[in-house]
Amino acid sequence: MTSTFPAARTAIVTGAASPRGIGRATVSRLARDGWNIGIIDLDGDACRQLAAELETEFGISAAGAGANVADEAAVRAAVDELEAALPQIVALVNIAGISSATPYLDLDPGEWARVLDVDLNGVHYVSRRVAESMVKSGVGRIVSISSVSAQRGGGTYSKTPYSVAKAGVIGLTRALARELGPLGVTVNAIAPGPIDTDIMGGTLTDERKAAMAADLLVGRVGTVDDIAVAVEFLVREDTAFITGHTLNVDGGLYMN
Ligand code: NAD
């Protein structure tokens, strides 16, 4: 099925409120392309403030709603609110996530559940709610941020529950691609390598960046824009033939 985008379209982006994060760079890039933007992150005020900034800078419509993506009822309420305020939802970008550096033998059940709840169940809850709207209109793009950690068993900062959750995101992506493809919705994942944000235990020092870059083929760690441009590509109308794919954006860290 090849479906046409409406003239006015909205991208829902989770995890966009962090000022130095991948989500923040992504909403700017999508707004620059003319997407209207719905933001979901933990702090509702921060979401609404970012939405106002995007409206001023890019002349699009934007709205924000606070929700913990691990809370399905809160997710559904937030998407309801954004859908009522904005044009047709055509894209969903699942970016919200947390890291977890606890070694396996030190894990307690709470840490395992905390990471799986946000990094895997959160992607499911938002995807499920947004997919309900997309299939009604017969067009959609879902892009979820996995990690090279899913493919290499960690190796950068986060450990087991994070790798498991991010591997789950790849499985979810493939299964959703299969079910939603005939209904006009493509579903893809991005597996970033190490990106210069604050998620790996705070802002990266030059020494940590150099150590991470030593494993990469391009001589540097990634930037938030390296990921945002990949999202921008996968939500385009004319990338409708790409689905069920995991796009590594990792400086050559993992080749498959
Ligand atoms: P970040 O910490 O800057 O951004 C994470 C965002 O998610 C924040 O805005 C945070 O408030 C939000 N968030 C966290 N828990 C949430 C919850 N329960 N509900 C709603 N929002 C929540 O980090 P980032 O590096 O920009 O990470 C973005 C995504 O990219 C994450 O999924 C992360 O796992 C993934 N990723 C990052 C890297 C990297 O090296 N930075 C590598 C691979 C994958």
Side-chain angles (χ1 to χ4, degrees):
M1 183 180 201
T2 300
S3 305
T4 311
F5 282 8
R9 65 205 192 280
T10 294
I12 303 286
V13 183
T14 72
S18 163
R20 283 188 9 93
I22 292 167
R24 180 71 183 80
T26 299
V27 291
S28 289
R29 190 169 270 272
L30 295 181
R32 196 190 64 189
D33 290 349
W35 286 89
N36 303 290
I37 303 290
I39 298 157
I40 296 176
D41 207 307
L42 289 169
D43 179 346
D45 287 340
C47 294
R48 285 182 281 276
Q49 173 163 352
L50 174 55
E53 286 170 24
L54 293 173
E55 287 189 327
T56 304
E57 188 174 355
F58 298 102
I60 49 101
S61 294
N68 176 354
V69 294
D71 177 342
E72 186 168 22
V75 163
R76 296 190 71 87
V79 177
D80 287 350
E81 184 183 329
L82 297 176
E83 188 167 44
L86 294 166
Q88 181 182 324
I89 299 171
V90 172
L92 165 65
V93 192
N94 286 302
I95 298 181
I98 52 175
S99 60
S100 173
T102 309
Y104 188 60
L105 296 177
D106 296 337
L107 270 179
D108 59 44
E111 179 64 0
W112 180 270
R114 183 182 77 95
V115 179
L116 270 289
D117 277 350
V118 175
D119 288 353
L120 179 56
N121 294 344
V123 176
H124 157 54
Y125 296 143
V126 187
S127 299
R128 171 59 204 265
R129 169 60 189 86
V130 172
E132 290 170 20
S133 294
M134 288 175 170
V135 300
K136 279 186 200 140
S137 55
V139 63
R141 300 275 179 272
I142 299 176
V143 178
S144 302
I145 305 297
S146 175
S147 170
V148 75
S149 176
Q151 301 154 319
R152 298 181 77 238
T156 48
Y157 175 75
S158 286
K159 294 188 165 58
T160 39
Y162 183 84
S163 296
V164 169
K166 294 297 188 180
V169 168
I170 293 174
L172 178 65
T173 295
R174 292 175 179 173
L176 287 185
R178 187 175 292 279
E179 286 203 34
L180 301 181
L183 304 173
V185 180
T186 67
V187 190
N188 292 289
I190 293 171
I195 307 298
D196 183 10
T197 72
D198 299 336
I199 200 173
M200 290 181 280
T203 302
L204 296 173
T205 60
D206 288 343
E207 292 72 33
R208 282 185 74 197
K209 281 193 257 190
M212 288 174 176
D215 276 347
L216 306 181
L217 307 185
V218 297
R220 64 171 178 86
V221 297
T223 66
V224 290
D225 229 42
D226 288 325
I227 306 305
V229 72
V231 174
E232 178 185 44
F233 171 70
L234 289 170
V235 301
R236 282 168 53 150
E237 183 173 19
D238 56 4
T239 51
F241 203 57
I242 303 173
T243 196
H245 185 68
T246 299
L247 178 60
N248 275 76
V249 184
D250 64 1
L253 187 56
Y254 180 77
M255 296 188 206
N256 62 353

